[in-house]
Amino acid sequence: MKKYKKARICGLLLALPLLLTGCATVSSAIDRETGRNVYFDEITYFGGNAVKVGSYLYYANGYSSISDSNFNYNEAAQTGNLARLDLYNGVDAQSNKETPKGIKVVNNKLAGYENQYMFAYQNYLYFTSANTHQTTGLENDYTRVTMFRVMFNGDNVQELFTTKYDSSSFIKAVEGSDGNGYIVTYSKTDSSSEELKDSYQLTSMKIGDKLGKRDIIAEKVTSAVVDDSISSNDSRIYYTKDSELGTTTNKVYSIDYATKDIKNHSAGLNTNATIKMLAKVDDQLFYHYKQSTNSAIYKTDVSLGASETDIGNSKDIYHTSDEIKNVFHVGKGTLDEGFVFTASGNLLYKKNGEKDPTPILSSDKFKNILFVDGDYVYYSNETEIGRISFKANNGEYVEEVIVKMTKIISGEYAFVDGYIYFFAGYEAPEVDENDKDAVEYEEDTNVYMYRIKAGSPDDIGSYQLMGKNKQMPVKEKTEEE
């Protein structure tokens, strides 16, 4: 799990943005100990579906999938809006299955869906939403993603850009070599030219109190990775392009997304060698290299000032497969330091210095890897969230189920102050049939935000509803009924 740096507290200067156009929907985010507005010097990110600003939690109230055949943006936004809850005195609710008191709507745009990305920087909360700009044929294209930002009090909502988005794309907030924040994207181009049509491009946009222009910094890109960890000192995107010389050999480059400085790492590549970027974690670059009968994954430490030949001609094979995903650095600074990753659907752990990785969790146990915290890897499937230590206990790796529910949206999470925030199908409180005063509610099939304390699963039912649900009482029966 990446480390998050604390926010700096700013004073009266933050009153100035109130002069901008727009209307505040909630009160300012005040630090209760200092009485000043919260201001983030650095990008603050907790996993994508929630951000803590002072004592306030900003989050997507509910969740809808754009892939559903009956998806309707306006209906989805009614439950999946951007919400806020003050956690200073804990969660005030009659039970863990009842809506907490004090939930406020910050913005009515759809914040809870499969392409959600949320973070805070300086005076603003940034979040993605499904595109609502119709095509020239007046059709909806929700596969595109629109990036918005809004001040912590709901004022000054701004649309930053809209981009194509698929399973190969990424949108990430990163710190540049100039000390400023940036949003970088890897996605298909909007160009209709035959040369660029359906190809991928890289873009960079300076963010913060003063916005920069969104620039295309590379075109006809075939793969790309960027390190979004604040521990990285390498503010570059590493990417590949097809050769223009009539061979299948890839060209390997890196670009500083702040200064636009480009480095060519292609020297020394063998003829007809192809490279695909897979991941970049704490300055460790993972990529697939294929040439003739040699097909494997390699790792290069780019913080060592790697020469141009290092990326294409690494001598040590890291793993004998075509692809790895979900790469996390674990055991930093200890004898157990290494990486966990998924390959062929299974979760593996490779300790530094060892030749082969160790399987620790089979593919039938999880659908998504969420994050790493301490010695534990947290994972999810469609009914459970669990964890497993990458350190064996008496030679065994034992998974622990933290929460089990009827319907969990696997892969969607935030990790804030020891709590895992996740989306799940609403589970109504049980009604005591003997209690004449008990209120019975209509069936609610929506998906809402919940949270569970990460750690040993003493009670797997101790989750807490965080979303504001419909809570519509059942209509009273008529005398005829």
Side-chain angles (χ1 to χ4, degrees), residues 167-168 276-279 287-289 295-297 319-327 341-346 348:
S167 59
S168 299
K276 179 181 180 181
M277 295 296 159
L278 300 177
Y287 55 93
H288 179 253
Y289 178 90
S295 178
I297 292 171
H319 187 55
T320 54
S321 67
D322 291 335
E323 188 168 28
I324 60 174
K325 298 179 180 179
N326 304 302
V327 183
F341 55 90
T342 57
S344 301
N346 300 311
L348 309 176

Side-chain angles (χ1 to χ4, degrees), residues 50-68:
V51 173
K52 189 178 181 185
V53 180
S55 63
Y56 296 98
L57 185 78
Y58 291 75
Y59 61 100
N61 182 77
Y63 176 93
S64 296
S65 175
I66 59 174
S67 61
D68 288 348

